[in-house]
Amino acid sequence: MKKKFTIYDIANALNITAATVSRALNDNPNISKATKELVLKTAEKMGYEQNKLALALKSGKSNNVGVIVPRIDSNFFGSVIRGIEEELNPFGYHVIICQTNGDEAKEIANIDALLNSQVDGIFISTSSKDVASFERILRKDVPLIFFDRKKTMNNVSSVTINDFDGGYKATKHLIESGCRQIAHFSGDLNIEIFNDRFTGYKQALTDNGIDYIEEYVVKTRSNVEDGKKAVKKLLKLKNPPDAIFSSSDWDALGAIQELRAKNYKIPDDISVIGFSNEPFTKFMELSISTIDQFPLDMGKITAKVFLEQVNNSEKVKIEKKVVLEPELIIRKSTKKTLPKK
Amino acid sequence: MKKKFTIYDIANALNITAATVSRALNDNPNISKATKELVLKTAEKMGYEQNKLALALKSGKSNNVGVIVPRIDSNFFGSVIRGIEEELNPFGYHVIICQTNGDEAKEIANIDALLNSQVDGIFISTSSKDVASFERILRKDVPLIFFDRKKTMNNVSSVTINDFDGGYKATKHLIESGCRQIAHFSGDLNIEIFNDRFTGYKQALTDNGIDYIEEYVVKTRSNVEDGKKAVKKLLKLKNPPDAIFSSSDWDALGAIQELRAKNYKIPDDISVIGFSNEPFTKFMELSISTIDQFPLDMGKITAKVFLEQVNNSEKVKIEKKVVLEPELIIRKSTKKTLPKK
DNA sequence: TTATTTTTGGTAATCGATTACATAAAACGA
DNA sequence: TCGTTTTATGTAATCGATTACCAAAAATAA
């Protein structure tokens, strides 16, 4: 077993006390230069490294933040986390990752675990219907910030994109390119982002005098298989759609694969637009129109909001709701031309 | 300020000592049932949660592991981390993420920070030329495991794929499909994985009686731009290649974009094969042949090797070198036919 | 030379949980 | 009834670093 050296070891070696060593290492003004140099030299020689755990226990600050996401191996969440890490690292914070796979129970378990480990903040893209566990975070006075998938709560900051606008823009684009029977892959409508996209979709229809047809809306779960299934279902309708606005790029991909397998022409027979701007949408045979959510920025801004909050001299409560504007990206899977009329 | 309750608060409330409370909470057999129930009830009522920091300081175990990667927003590393997290979470471990962007100084800084925070293990995909910082980890007796980008060190476990084999398989496939002038995008040859792929490439050439031509090897940095540049360079040769084996999917993508812009036919004029099986390679107009590295498995196995190591009753030193077998995935960017002869 | 101030460093409590050791009370046997 | 075992809990040290408070030594003033 190798030995880990502490300030007490340094103190013993120099016949001084740990308090002096601690002060010397922290460059405290009432330690003489001679002693400081001696301590520093000895620390160096022994390979001393500060135990952050002891410091964290004493100070109540762990310098860790927890990030809870459905999954980390998607480009979107990977980019958000990258943004958070890059922004926080210079301030000495570390990022603890937790995955929920969209499971509410796992999300609660993760929150508990993070609270136990005394993280200095929790950033979450939630999959929960309930806010009870978030209230527990607030009760412990731990900064909580939602990103992407938020819950609306008082005194809690959030960084999201305007999903309503994203849904609106995507749908409007389809309408402007001549489509009238526009289907929607919705995702779980209990989750705000999906509900907002859906609402944006409906609003765009209304604003353009198009009737909302309930059977055009299919609930999907952001994967290729669900996209295929959804298309199959839609094609069986007596009046199949001429466009699909999918709330996820993965469903859109599934839809496109299924449509092409059935020899539909995209975008001529059916236009398809996704959501998220996953890298693959750009490189595909038939590049997919989509909505960019700027995940890297979202991560960085989330981190900044957190930093503001902890540096706020703890007096006034900050509630900051940052809403990023999504961007429509038009590619080959939707028509660029104007209405046929 | 909200109050965080400790075992002392419970002890005071019940007029017993913290020791008893601690024992009751840990279901110690020599605490009476009555007291246990009382303590449990009071803890519940107060919303008590154990402070893991205090526990970690006392026990010397933080239940955190550090994972150091060049970047987290790539499918490959995202998947590895997902695998690690999934495997370790049931055992109560949390994963701290650090990014280096391939910068050696940042890697060292991250290692220092992780050691300071007393992590129970460090998993790293290294970008360093030097092993000095890893020796510091070992000196502190912290388990160290390399994955993907390793250094060869005694007493250190690693989980990698057989990059030599990957390079060999890719090159052999190109040869078998009739190519003879095979170029290679190499990456930084100081990094073992790239060097191994390169060696596999050369070996496949040799085994098939093809001369190794130095000017066919271009150093790239795993991004689209470098792939384009590399192709431009190769096409200027008096004897341009008829195939490219790229050590990265991103360079391969750049190469393909550049080649198509110049009206080369793929795979007829030039075959291209990448490395990693990034999702986009599958969905592209011209799907890209590549080598699968099974990143999720790599993460899970890395975690398992770690668990074995810490459960090893700390007596015998374990050095486990796991090498996964990569898989050739043939798609449209390479010919499937046999040699034209 | 004595009193006062300034330097410098020591003492001991603290953060929250665990645990070896000690001890009081209850239960038991003879 | 007295000694012995068992049961249940208390006491105090420990993990490593910080810091309010105090005290000796040195420097300065009177």
Side-chain angles (χ1 to χ4, degrees):
Chain A
M1 277 315 123
K2 322 290 159 49
K3 189 155 168 48
K4 288 179 192 169
F5 291 99
T6 71
I7 52 171
Y8 294 94
D9 298 312
I10 300 177
N12 283 334
L14 296 176
N15 253 325
I16 54 179
T17 62
T20 307
V21 175
S22 172
R23 283 189 274 246
L25 291 172
N26 288 300
D27 204 28
N28 183 307
N30 34 339
I31 296 293
S32 69
K33 258 176 220 136
T35 311
K36 273 182 193 168
E37 277 170 22
L38 204 58
V39 168
L40 250 35
K41 215 170 289 171
T42 314
E44 173 82 9
K45 201 166 54 196
M46 288 181 148
Y48 166 79
E49 294 195 54
Q50 188 191 47
N51 185 329
K52 285 262 165 68
L53 242 39
L55 184 57
L57 176 59
K58 183 70 167 67
S59 68
K61 280 201 62 193
S62 67
N63 272 283
N64 285 145
V65 298
V67 177
I68 302 177
V69 291
R71 55 188 301 172
I72 127 164
D73 61 341
S74 82
N75 181 269
F76 178 76
F77 287 119
S79 299
V80 175
I81 294 170
R82 177 182 179 87
I84 292 174
E85 202 273 346
E86 281 183 357
E87 200 68 28
L88 249 33
N89 193 268
F91 295 93
Y93 285 101
H94 280 132
V95 175
I96 296 176
I97 299 288
C98 301
Q99 294 184 109
T100 64
N101 289 314
D103 178 17
E104 188 159 358
K106 209 168 172 205
E107 187 168 310
I108 293 173
N110 279 324
I111 290 174
D112 277 347
L114 288 176
L115 288 176
N116 282 168
S117 3
Q118 313 292 117
V119 290
D120 296 339
I122 294 181
F123 311 160
I124 187 166
S125 183
T126 183
S127 310
S128 288
K129 300 195 172 103
D130 199 53
V131 297
S133 45
F134 304 129
E135 280 161 358
R136 293 195 30 248
I137 300 178
L138 298 177
R139 231 175 290 132
K140 305 244 164 193
D141 232 30
V142 173
L144 167 67
I145 301 173
F146 288 109
F147 66 91
D148 189 47
R149 306 189 177 192
K150 75 172 204 297
K151 287 280 162 196
T152 304
M153 290 179 77
N154 287 332
N155 296 320
V156 180
S157 296
S158 64
V159 181
T160 55
I161 64 151
N162 190 330
D163 287 285
F164 173 90
D165 250 40
Y168 193 94
K169 280 177 180 168
T171 311
K172 183 160 162 255
H173 164 60
L174 292 173
I175 295 169
E176 283 175 349
S177 65
C179 305
R180 285 295 174 273
Q181 284 130 307
I182 302 173
H184 178 49
F185 295 173
S186 77
D188 181 350
L189 292 177
N190 289 307
I191 298 177
E192 275 192 24
I193 55 168
F194 292 121
N195 197 51
D196 288 353
R197 291 172 198 177
F198 173 56
T199 312
Y201 156 79
K202 283 194 292 189
Q203 189 63 47
L205 294 182
T206 307
D207 287 357
N208 289 276
I210 300 177
D211 286 341
Y212 164 65
I213 298 175
E214 199 168 341
E215 60 186 4
Y216 277 175
V217 176
V218 186
K219 182 174 164 181
T220 52
R221 283 168 310 182
S222 295
N223 63 59
V224 176
E225 270 323 300
D226 270 32
K228 288 183 182 178
K229 271 190 227 157
V231 160
K232 281 180 195 152
K233 198 169 156 191
L234 288 173
L235 292 179
K236 279 185 200 140
L237 296 177
K238 51 191 170 307
N239 206 354
D242 60 4
I244 297 169
F245 160 43
S246 168
S247 55
S248 142
D249 282 335
W250 296 97
D251 298 320
L253 175 61
I256 287 174
Q257 288 180 348
E258 183 67 22
L259 287 169
R260 303 195 82 190
K262 296 203 165 147
N263 285 317
Y264 282 84
K265 282 195 184 140
I266 304 172
D268 304 305
D269 298 337
I270 299 192
S271 289
V272 179
I273 185 166
F275 209 108
S276 276
N277 197 19
E278 285 281 332
F280 69 82
T281 57
K282 183 174 180 183
F283 304 130
M284 284 187 54
E285 171 159 13
L286 188 86
S287 59
I288 306 179
S289 295
T290 189
I291 300 283
D292 197 347
Q293 304 181 90
F294 307 103
L296 193 68
D297 293 327
M298 189 179 281
K300 291 189 181 225
I301 294 171
T302 302
K304 278 179 187 157
V305 169
F306 165 74
L307 289 173
E308 275 179 42
Q309 204 153 321
V310 295
N311 295 330
N312 185 237
S313 67
E314 332 266 341
K315 278 171 193 163
V316 191
K317 235 171 220 158
I318 290 191
E319 173 185 330
K320 204 159 186 175
K321 310 272 187 193
V322 179
V323 180
L324 304 176
E325 205 46 42
E327 186 177 308
L328 173 66
I329 297 178
I330 301 175
R331 298 207 182 97
K332 292 186 190 160
S333 68
T334 57
K335 283 169 262 188
K336 282 167 198 163
T337 50
L338 286 184
K340 331 168 193 178
K341 194 59 174 291
Chain B
M1 276 313 123
K2 323 287 158 51
K3 187 153 169 52
K4 289 178 192 169
F5 290 99
T6 71
I7 52 171
Y8 293 94
D9 299 312
I10 300 178
N12 283 335
L14 296 176
N15 252 325
I16 55 180
T17 61
T20 306
V21 174
S22 172
R23 282 189 274 246
L25 291 172
N26 288 301
D27 203 26
N28 183 308
N30 30 337
I31 296 293
S32 69
K33 258 176 222 136
T35 310
K36 273 182 194 169
E37 276 170 23
L38 204 58
V39 168
L40 250 35
K41 214 169 290 171
T42 315
E44 173 81 11
K45 201 166 54 197
M46 288 181 150
Y48 166 79
E49 294 194 55
Q50 188 192 47
N51 184 329
K52 284 263 165 67
L53 243 38
L55 185 56
L57 177 59
K58 183 73 168 67
S59 68
K61 281 200 62 194
S62 68
N63 272 283
N64 285 145
V65 298
V67 177
I68 303 177
V69 292
R71 54 189 301 170
I72 131 163
D73 62 340
S74 82
N75 182 267
F76 177 76
F77 287 118
S79 299
V80 175
I81 294 170
R82 178 183 177 89
I84 292 174
E85 202 273 346
E86 281 184 356
E87 199 68 30
L88 248 33
N89 193 268
F91 294 93
Y93 286 101
H94 281 132
V95 175
I96 296 177
I97 299 288
C98 301
Q99 294 183 110
T100 65
N101 288 314
D103 178 16
E104 188 159 358
K106 208 166 173 208
E107 187 168 308
I108 293 173
N110 279 324
I111 290 175
D112 276 347
L114 288 176
L115 288 175
N116 282 169
S117 5
Q118 313 292 114
V119 290
D120 295 340
I122 294 180
F123 311 159
I124 186 167
S125 184
T126 182
S127 310
S128 288
K129 298 191 173 109
D130 199 53
V131 297
S133 45
F134 304 130
E135 279 160 359
R136 292 193 32 248
I137 300 177
L138 298 178
R139 232 176 290 131
K140 305 244 164 190
D141 232 32
V142 173
L144 167 67
I145 301 174
F146 288 110
F147 65 91
D148 189 46
R149 306 190 177 191
K150 75 174 205 298
K151 286 281 164 195
T152 303
M153 290 179 78
N154 287 330
N155 296 320
V156 180
S157 296
S158 64
V159 181
T160 55
I161 65 149
N162 190 330
D163 287 285
F164 173 90
D165 250 41
Y168 192 94
K169 280 177 179 167
T171 311
K172 183 160 162 255
H173 164 61
L174 292 173
I175 296 171
E176 282 175 349
S177 66
C179 304
R180 285 295 173 272
Q181 282 132 305
I182 302 174
H184 177 50
F185 294 173
S186 77
D188 182 349
L189 293 176
N190 289 306
I191 298 177
E192 275 191 24
I193 55 168
F194 292 122
N195 198 51
D196 288 353
R197 290 171 198 178
F198 174 55
T199 311
Y201 157 79
K202 284 195 291 187
Q203 189 63 47
L205 293 181
T206 307
D207 288 357
N208 289 276
I210 299 177
D211 287 340
Y212 164 65
I213 297 174
E214 200 170 339
E215 61 185 5
Y216 277 176
V217 176
V218 186
K219 183 174 164 180
T220 51
R221 283 168 310 181
S222 296
N223 64 58
V224 175
E225 270 323 300
D226 271 32
K228 289 183 181 178
K229 273 190 226 157
V231 160
K232 280 179 195 154
K233 198 169 156 190
L234 288 172
L235 291 179
K236 278 184 199 143
L237 296 177
K238 53 191 169 305
N239 205 355
D242 60 3
I244 297 169
F245 159 43
S246 168
S247 54
S248 142
D249 282 335
W250 296 97
D251 298 320
L253 174 61
I256 287 173
Q257 288 180 348
E258 184 66 22
L259 287 169
R260 303 195 83 189
K262 297 204 165 147
N263 285 316
Y264 282 84
K265 282 194 184 139
I266 303 172
D268 304 305
D269 298 337
I270 299 191
S271 289
V272 179
I273 184 166
F275 209 107
S276 277
N277 197 20
E278 285 282 332
F280 68 81
T281 59
K282 184 175 179 181
F283 306 129
M284 284 186 54
E285 172 160 10
L286 188 85
S287 60
I288 305 180
S289 296
T290 190
I291 300 283
D292 197 345
Q293 305 182 90
F294 306 103
L296 193 68
D297 294 327
M298 189 178 282
K300 291 189 179 222
I301 293 171
T302 301
K304 279 180 187 157
V305 169
F306 165 74
L307 290 173
E308 275 178 42
Q309 204 154 321
V310 294
N311 294 331
N312 184 237
S313 67
E314 330 267 341
K315 279 171 191 163
V316 192
K317 235 170 220 158
I318 289 190
E319 174 185 329
K320 203 158 186 176
K321 310 274 187 192
V322 179
V323 180
L324 304 177
E325 205 47 42
E327 186 178 307
L328 173 67
I329 297 177
I330 301 175
R331 299 207 181 98
K332 291 186 190 162
S333 69
T334 58
K335 285 169 260 190
K336 281 168 197 162
T337 49
L338 286 183
K340 333 165 192 178
K341 195 59 175 290

